[in-house]
Amino acid sequence: MRSTTGWQADSLTRTLRRAALERRDLRPDDIAVRVEYCGVCHTDLHALQGHTSDANGVLVPGHEFTGVVTEVGSAVSDFFPGDPVAVGNIVDSCGMCRMCQAGQENFCREFPTLTYGGADRQDGSTTLGGYSREYVVSHQFAYHLPAGLDAAATAPLLCAGVTVWEPLQALGVGPGSTVAVAGLGGLGHLAVKMATALGATTSVISRTLDKADEARGLGAQGFVVSTDPGQMEAVRDQFDVVIDTISAPHDLAPYLRVVAMDGTLSHLGHLGPVTVETMDLLIGRKKLSSAGSGGRPSTAAMLRFCAEHGITADIELLPSSQVNRALERLERNDVRYRFVLDMSDLD
């Protein structure tokens, strides 16, 4: 086993503490990555809040990170020590089902192995995440970090970025498309940047005017206040695609009403039960969809696109020793737009 250091959950205090961790010895298809930067996702907060000492063993969060290859397995020929890399929230899949064969490992029928809190497909051990100085991963689920992308600001692309990229691609967003992004947070700000770079006329829907200037600074041409009935009526049936990144439970009806005929509301932010009136879909032949993460081809394509268009997340960079403060602030939505931890203080 390989020794490293990271931030492990304490189930009594619901906080993270610095701890010694073990990584597996490299298998032939593995690479060892020195983690430099790891993004902080709402999923990490939820995992910590739900962690108990008798459930799933050790918890080390973190599933969007960048780093540098330090060692490669005997069968690896596409990575070399010193290569900058990125790793997302999936580190393995069955590789055999129809979804995996289609390059959608994120929808693996046997469920993908998650970067943390998952079960290793070979030895059954619990995967420990990127809030650590080293991560060992199959080279098939690591991605070359394109030149020109800031490593810290790129880390959130491996979760938040690909989560919005997949529906934008699947729904054919491009020149001539009209897109609205509901919610301007970690996912939403990247959706605005990507939709704009794809050539779409892009608007932001938010509860107040507070973020109007920020939205326009990100590339949005329009801004709609969702609590203003007049503004929402003015954009009724207007958007080919609405990317809903709102993380709290909410009524979908107002957002379906602004979808154009044959358009789609892609519901990404809140993972839970929803109630939909059929008439809100019927009138205009509107569609409700969702998406989550991305397969390997999509993730690689997203990184290439972001490098070409200079897209990274807007981040606040903190030393990893401030991880508990970052999670506290994240719970209050006190971040614009994504926290990233600098893991160098774990040396």
Side-chain angles (χ1 to χ4, degrees), residues 133-179:
R133 193 52 163 150
E134 181 178 81
Y135 198 95
V136 174
V137 61
S138 167
H139 73 108
Q140 296 183 77
F141 288 85
Y143 305 91
H144 288 280
L145 185 65
L149 285 180
D150 178 82
T154 296
L157 297 181
L158 276 295
C159 177
V162 74
T163 295
V164 297
W165 170 258
E166 276 239 327
L168 289 170
Q169 287 292 283
L171 297 172
V173 169
S177 301
T178 54
V179 173

Side-chain angles (χ1 to χ4, degrees), residues 295-314:
R296 292 186 294 156
S298 180
T299 302
M302 180 270 301
L303 286 171
R304 291 193 299 270
F305 179 85
C306 288
E308 180 181 350
H309 293 274
I311 295 173
T312 54
D314 290 7

Side-chain angles (χ1 to χ4, degrees), residues 76-101:
V76 176
S77 60
D78 52 345
F79 289 97
F80 299 92
D83 284 351
V85 294
V87 177
N89 58 359
I90 297 170
V91 293
D92 203 359
S93 70
C94 79
M96 301 297 293
C97 70
R98 291 181 66 182
M99 291 295 186
C100 288
Q101 291 294 305

Side-chain angles (χ1 to χ4, degrees), residues 57-321:
V58 174
L59 171 65
V60 176
H63 62 198
E64 48 180 47
F65 61 87
T66 57
V68 176
V69 176
T70 58
E71 190 176 346
V72 302
S74 60
V76 176
S77 60
D78 52 345
F79 289 97
F80 299 92
D83 284 351
V85 294
V87 177
N89 58 359
I90 297 170
V91 293
D92 203 359
S93 70
C94 79
M96 301 297 293
C97 70
R98 291 181 66 182
M99 291 295 186
C100 288
Q101 291 294 305
Q104 295 286 176
E105 294 86 358
N106 50 322
F107 302 138
C108 175
R109 293 286 178 84
E110 294 185 9
F111 202 78
T113 302
L114 302 181
T115 309
Y116 70 87
D120 184 90
R121 305 182 94 85
Q122 294 192 38
D123 62 21
S125 62
T126 299
T127 55
L128 307 179
Y131 289 7
S132 61
R133 193 52 163 150
E134 181 178 81
Y135 198 95
V136 174
V137 61
S138 167
H139 73 108
Q140 296 183 77
F141 288 85
Y143 305 91
H144 288 280
L145 185 65
L149 285 180
D150 178 82
T154 296
L157 297 181
L158 276 295
C159 177
V162 74
T163 295
V164 297
W165 170 258
E166 276 239 327
L168 289 170
Q169 287 292 283
L171 297 172
V173 169
S177 301
T178 54
V179 173
V181 177
L184 196 61
L187 273 70
H189 88 288
L190 287 170
V192 172
K193 290 185 178 187
M194 290 180 180
T196 301
L198 286 165
T201 300
T202 307
S203 297
V204 167
I205 303 176
S206 188
R207 289 182 55 80
T208 70
L209 272 172
D210 294 349
K211 296 183 178 179
D213 289 341
E214 295 176 38
R216 293 189 178 95
L218 293 167
Q221 294 98 324
F223 191 88
V224 182
V225 178
S226 62
T227 53
D228 184 328
Q231 290 193 32
M232 291 293 281
E233 181 61 29
V235 293
R236 186 162 184 167
D237 304 320
Q238 179 169 308
F239 300 107
D240 301 315
V241 174
V242 175
I243 301 293
D244 181 353
T245 71
I246 301 168
S247 60
H250 57 283
D251 183 10
L252 300 188
Y255 302 98
L256 281 168
R257 291 185 192 120
V258 303
V259 174
M261 179 177 286
D262 294 319
T264 301
L265 170 64
S266 185
H267 185 62
L268 306 179
H270 171 62
L271 300 180
V274 297
T275 299
V276 178
E277 292 291 339
T278 305
M279 291 297 289
D280 288 330
L281 297 172
L282 183 153
I283 299 174
R285 294 193 300 266
K286 299 175 182 181
K287 296 177 281 291
L288 174 64
S289 73
S290 189
S293 187
R296 292 186 294 156
S298 180
T299 302
M302 180 270 301
L303 286 171
R304 291 193 299 270
F305 179 85
C306 288
E308 180 181 350
H309 293 274
I311 295 173
T312 54
D314 290 7
I315 67 167
E316 182 174 340
L317 184 63
L318 298 173
S320 76
S321 59

